[in-house]
Amino acid sequence: EVQLLESGGGLLQPGGSLRLSCAASGFTFSSHAMTWVRQAPGKGLERVSTISGSGDGTLYGDSVRGRFTISRDNSKNTVYLQMNSLRAEDTAVYYCAKHNGDGHGSAFFQHWGQGTLVTVSS
Amino acid sequence: EIVLTQSPGTLSLSPGERATLFCRASQSVSSNYLAWYQQKPGQAPRLLIYGGSSRATGIPDRFSGSGSGTDFTLTISRLEPEDFAVYCCQQYDNSPLTFGGGTKVEIK
């Protein structure tokens, strides 16, 4: 059974930093790209960042580029999101999601984590 | 960036009725790389449809997807009580992958 378990969310002040983790199990982790998706309160879904199965390729949304860094440790079956210079508008539930594979046309999400809430407020 | 516009914003229907939801893309989505998700309050999205029309594992056949190019449709043939939720489309043809704003299906 595929499981994705996020951790690391919390309440912090603007300008702060946080690292989210997503521990995966139940599949060959390195064969799947992974994406962080966020959802601000009452809003829709927004792709934050994507990392390829090998970790060599990364993509970022315009709103987080230069502030957030995605990485993965395939030996630990874990993907991370390092979030720096946090802003109030980064407040959201952050989900990690497993791609169907690792290539073009695989970026739809059968499996999601339960989400972790990040609140940025003074 | 491909912008996905969903309509209507809210659909008020009764159990047993047919629901038709629309997703329009700002440019063509090739290979029908379009997915639909259902989301209930406090829960992660649930994949319903991928590839425009393929049902995900475990999804009842009352859910169907159709369309191509820029216009896609999600149909729920007969609404069950558990189907009242928010539905969202997502394209994965072009980077960045993008989501529509959602359609809320509520009980009339």
Side-chain angles (χ1 to χ4, degrees):
Chain A
E1 179 192 4
V2 172
Q3 291 193 338
L4 301 172
L5 185 61
E6 300 103 336
S7 60
L11 170 64
L12 64 163
Q13 294 187 337
S17 296
L18 203 59
R19 189 176 83 157
L20 305 182
S21 300
C22 172
S25 61
F27 63 101
T28 305
F29 185 64
S30 60
S31 295
H32 294 264
M34 299 291 292
T35 283
W36 287 96
V37 176
R38 70 183 180 184
Q39 187 168 35
K43 302 297 185 182
L45 300 167
E46 178 190 9
R47 193 285 305 266
V48 174
S49 185
T50 296
I51 189 165
S52 65
S54 66
D56 291 347
T58 57
L59 296 168
Y60 296 93
D62 289 344
S63 60
V64 307
R65 188 176 293 112
R67 300 188 298 123
F68 290 11
T69 302
I70 192 170
S71 61
R72 65 192 294 159
D73 185 338
N74 285 349
S75 69
K76 295 182 178 179
N77 286 2
T78 301
V79 61
Y80 305 98
L81 186 68
Q82 177 67 43
M83 304 186 295
N84 298 332
S85 304
L86 281 159
R87 306 167 179 167
E89 54 266 35
D90 295 318
T91 294
V93 174
Y94 286 72
Y95 297 100
C96 68
K98 165 185 166 286
H99 288 225
N100 197 52
D102 196 30
H104 181 59
S106 71
F108 59 93
F109 310 116
Q110 174 81 51
H111 300 284
W112 298 69
Q114 84 287 354
T116 187
L117 177 62
V118 174
T119 304
V120 184
S121 174
S122 54
Chain B
E1 171 176 321
I2 295 179
V3 177
L4 299 178
T5 302
Q6 291 188 242
S7 61
T10 302
L11 202 49
S12 298
L13 295 168
S14 300
E17 290 194 292
R18 181 184 188 90
T20 304
L21 289 67
F22 301 98
C23 177
R24 173 163 285 178
S26 59
Q27 61 192 79
S28 184
V29 177
S30 61
S31 303
N32 287 349
Y33 283 162
L34 187 113
W36 290 93
Y37 300 87
Q38 176 194 69
Q39 191 175 25
K40 297 180 180 179
Q43 297 183 16
R46 174 193 182 198
L47 178 67
L48 301 174
I49 300 287
Y50 64 94
S53 61
S54 297
R55 267 187 303 277
T57 303
I59 301 304
D61 61 7
R62 65 180 181 272
F63 291 92
S64 63
S66 63
S68 63
T70 60
D71 293 296
F72 296 86
T73 302
L74 175 71
T75 301
I76 310 171
S77 58
R78 289 178 55 87
L79 283 163
E80 297 289 338
E82 62 268 27
D83 298 337
F84 291 91
V86 174
Y87 293 83
C88 179
C89 58
Q90 176 228 333
Q91 68 80 22
Y92 50 100
D93 178 32
N94 275 15
S95 182
L97 63 88
T98 49
F99 295 90
T103 290
K104 181 178 181 180
V105 178
E106 65 176 22
I107 299 176
K108 185 174 182 180

